[in-house]
Amino acid sequence: MAVTRTFSIIKPDATRRNLTGAVTAKLEESGLRVVASKRIQMTKEQAEGFYGVHRERPFFGDLVSFMTSGPVVVQVLEGEDAVKRNRDVMGATNPADAAEGTIRKAFAESIEANSVHGSDSDENARIEIDFFFKPEEIVG
Ligand code: CMP
């Protein structure tokens, strides 16, 4: 299995509850390595651009409001089959459906305030990493 990269966001519901370390510990325990990380306040423009594929969805406005409601931690994660590994440890989008041991089962408050985002494909991982990081900010 190849070592690849994925993109992660620790969302405002988690930073608000001081769970940055707890979430990161679960990522690391799953075999992923944090090779870039920064805490930022996302702007409305950034959130709208990042979630552009969801623009037509009924929850788009609420999603943008939520993602700009407090600090987030954007990260690049590296490991074997990183996209799938990260999605496995995140758990289902809706915490009501998330399996035991996953980040969303442990910490998420709702389908919106679900503590973490993770890329859904290698191609989107590259796009999402480029959205927030310069190459020199990633140190593997
Ligand atoms: P994320 O992986 O960050 O990508 C899009 C986000 O939209 C998703 O996680 C959810 O947190 C959020 N969201 C809010 N409401 C819904 C919904 N009804 N269905 C799917 N996603 C939703």
Side-chain angles (χ1 to χ4, degrees):
M1 197 66 70
V3 172
T4 58
R5 287 178 175 173
T6 190
F7 175 75
S8 168
I9 306 177
I10 303 177
K11 296 188 180 184
D13 67 285
T15 61
R16 193 174 291 128
R17 288 175 290 151
N18 209 20
L19 293 171
T20 297
V23 170
T24 302
K26 281 197 173 285
L27 296 172
E28 291 179 339
E29 282 160 17
S30 81
L32 292 162
R33 179 176 294 269
V34 180
V35 295
S37 183
K38 56 187 174 188
R39 183 175 171 104
I40 61 167
Q41 172 64 53
M42 233 190 254
T43 65
K44 184 166 182 277
E45 291 68 32
Q46 276 178 313
E48 286 175 349
F50 182 77
Y51 281 119
V53 293
H54 297 303
R55 193 171 289 276
E56 303 306 323
R57 303 273 204 110
F59 58 82
F60 181 71
D62 286 344
L63 176 61
V64 170
S65 295
F66 170 64
M67 292 302 288
T68 57
S69 68
V72 300
V73 179
V74 291
Q75 297 177 317
V76 181
L77 308 176
E78 192 174 84
E80 289 199 355
D81 206 3
V83 168
K84 181 177 186 302
R85 193 175 287 264
N86 185 38
R87 291 183 75 78
D88 286 349
V89 73
M90 285 195 303
T93 303
N94 187 343
D97 302 326
E100 284 298 334
T102 64
I103 291 168
R104 285 168 171 159
K105 177 72 176 182
F107 302 127
E109 297 179 316
S110 67
I111 194 167
E112 178 176 271
N114 65 355
S115 301
V116 279
H117 164 84
S119 309
D120 62 5
S121 67
D122 286 345
E123 188 191 354
N124 282 336
R126 277 189 285 276
I127 292 167
E128 293 177 357
I129 289 168
D130 287 350
F131 195 91
F132 285 104
F133 289 97
K134 301 190 191 96
E136 63 268 27
E137 292 178 310
I138 304 167
V139 184

